[in-house]
Amino acid sequence: MNRDQAYELMVAHTPSVSLQRHMLNVEAAMRAYARHWGEDEELYAVAGLLHDFDYELHPEEHPTWGVAFLRETTDTPEIVLDAIMGHAAYTGTPRESRLSKSLFAVDELTGLVQAAALVRPDRDVRLVELGSLKKRFKNRAFAAGVNREEVEQGARELGVDLDEHMTRVLRAMQDMQPEPQPG
């Protein structure tokens, strides 16, 4: 499984453009962590692109359905499958690899960054500042669906400071989006 194959599979199984955007955001954050750790960027990208590919069509079985599908029909590495299972805390799958811990750590945070961009008049993530993101993180009414405890837990599991984590994810998303998103 390479990045292009993962992208094609993600698009084929995910009609929602906003969910596709989420997986692309997670891919960017995962690539940033792969570079930070000196690990395989393509492997991290594949995990980011595929972690929610089954969510829209199989929400009650996510991510179990997706992992079974990938195991049966692709050559997705087991470490990626474990990371996909581990990103959903309710599966009880332990997060043992850096890949798995990174996916769990960036998943919810990318949602907060995206929400912070969308409330800007220009909707441009490139203009979101860390201070604004931190303020929105503390305001639990903002992007209420973002699980702040999981964001904090993810940073702890990675052994990184929350500000450092927020900065890395924000910069990764800023670097990937060359222009503002349409309204």
Side-chain angles (χ1 to χ4, degrees), residues 87-166:
H87 96 278
Y90 58 83
T91 67
T93 303
R95 292 177 290 278
E96 296 173 351
S97 68
R98 274 193 185 149
L99 173 71
S100 183
K101 291 174 184 178
S102 297
L103 183 58
F104 178 76
V106 305
D107 186 28
E108 290 290 311
L109 184 53
T110 61
L112 182 73
V113 173
Q114 186 69 30
L118 292 176
V119 298
R120 292 183 54 80
D122 52 27
R123 302 171 70 88
D124 191 345
V125 72
R126 295 172 302 162
L127 300 177
V128 174
E129 296 177 352
L130 179 61
S132 172
L133 187 63
K134 288 169 58 174
K135 186 176 180 180
R136 295 191 184 284
F137 180 78
K138 290 177 185 175
N139 177 3
R140 294 187 179 267
F142 178 80
V146 172
N147 187 325
R148 271 89 167 149
E149 289 76 25
E150 286 189 3
V151 172
E152 291 170 334
Q153 180 183 352
R156 279 193 311 274
E157 287 182 13
L158 283 177
V160 297
D161 175 76
L162 185 58
D163 283 2
E164 175 188 340
H165 180 50
M166 287 181 160

Side-chain angles (χ1 to χ4, degrees), residues 3-183:
R3 192 269 177 203
D4 291 339
Q5 293 167 325
Y7 178 81
E8 287 177 26
L9 195 136
M10 181 266 289
V11 170
H13 287 261
T14 309
S16 165
V17 173
S18 64
L19 187 54
Q20 289 177 18
R21 167 59 55 197
H22 167 68
M23 288 181 274
L24 290 166
N25 289 337
V26 171
E27 175 196 17
M30 290 295 286
R31 286 180 176 279
Y33 266 106
R35 287 188 299 273
H36 175 73
W37 302 127
E39 295 194 5
D40 185 342
E41 197 171 320
E42 182 96 348
L43 192 69
Y44 276 60
V46 167
L49 282 173
L50 294 178
H51 81 284
D52 278 346
F53 88 97
D54 64 334
Y55 183 78
E56 193 169 7
L57 299 179
H58 303 280
E60 300 299 320
E61 302 167 282
H62 167 74
T64 306
W65 186 93
V67 167
F69 177 86
L70 292 170
R71 190 173 274 130
E72 292 169 13
T73 62
T74 71
D75 63 349
T76 305
E78 198 63 34
I79 192 169
V80 171
L81 301 177
D82 287 343
I84 292 170
M85 286 298 292
H87 96 278
Y90 58 83
T91 67
T93 303
R95 292 177 290 278
E96 296 173 351
S97 68
R98 274 193 185 149
L99 173 71
S100 183
K101 291 174 184 178
S102 297
L103 183 58
F104 178 76
V106 305
D107 186 28
E108 290 290 311
L109 184 53
T110 61
L112 182 73
V113 173
Q114 186 69 30
L118 292 176
V119 298
R120 292 183 54 80
D122 52 27
R123 302 171 70 88
D124 191 345
V125 72
R126 295 172 302 162
L127 300 177
V128 174
E129 296 177 352
L130 179 61
S132 172
L133 187 63
K134 288 169 58 174
K135 186 176 180 180
R136 295 191 184 284
F137 180 78
K138 290 177 185 175
N139 177 3
R140 294 187 179 267
F142 178 80
V146 172
N147 187 325
R148 271 89 167 149
E149 289 76 25
E150 286 189 3
V151 172
E152 291 170 334
Q153 180 183 352
R156 279 193 311 274
E157 287 182 13
L158 283 177
V160 297
D161 175 76
L162 185 58
D163 283 2
E164 175 188 340
H165 180 50
M166 287 181 160
T167 299
R168 183 169 292 115
V169 170
L170 176 60
R171 285 188 183 148
M173 289 175 64
Q174 289 171 330
D175 289 348
M176 71 166 287
Q177 297 183 17
E179 57 192 61
Q181 295 184 17

